[in-house]
Amino acid sequence: MFENILAKLPGPPQFLLCVLPERKNSEIYGPWKKKSLSEFGIATQCISPTKINDQYLTNVLLKINSKLGGTNSLLAIEQSSCIPLIKDTPTMILGMDVSHGSPGRSDIPSIAAVVGSRSWPLISRYRAAV
């Protein structure tokens, strides 16, 4: 699929919207996400046509906006012109999380993620590594 996509475009795409036949447990999802991001550096958003409603579409659009560098929300303090210490001192703000598989599913690995921001005053804009 990647070779077909790249052959039809004048350059590599920045983003691909993928419509999967099933939800994330599809055999296509994992390999597609890994190859598109790690080998080609292409951001993707996968959707499944099984449960499309307004809330689903809103969540998908928020993810796409974020992946393309948009801002979905701002902290109230980001609208202030002054945060003590952070405004005048180079500061990195980090966030971390870990996701575990369902109870009893030892075959599903835990995934840890870290995000960091140093984009004052937009501290909620971040880069992530998993």
Side-chain angles (χ1 to χ4, degrees), residues 48-105:
S48 174
T50 58
K51 62 162 194 169
I52 295 182
N53 57 37
D54 287 347
Q55 184 63 50
Y56 180 81
L57 291 174
T58 299
N59 290 340
V60 168
L61 291 173
L62 286 169
K63 287 181 179 183
I64 291 172
N65 185 54
S66 179
K67 290 176 182 181
L68 295 177
T71 302
N72 289 338
S73 62
L74 292 174
L75 300 173
I77 200 163
E78 290 179 87
Q79 297 173 354
S80 168
S81 61
C82 180
I83 297 178
L85 298 177
I86 295 175
K87 180 178 181 287
D88 299 319
T89 304
T91 304
M92 179 182 288
I93 299 171
L94 299 171
M96 297 168 234
D97 194 16
V98 64
S99 173
H100 303 289
S102 302
R105 295 289 313 264

Side-chain angles (χ1 to χ4, degrees), residues 2 6 12-16 33 35-38 40-44:
F2 283 101
L6 295 175
Q14 293 180 357
F15 178 79
L16 291 172
K33 293 293 275 189
K35 187 172 186 98
S36 64
L37 191 56
S38 63
F40 291 97
I42 301 169
T44 61

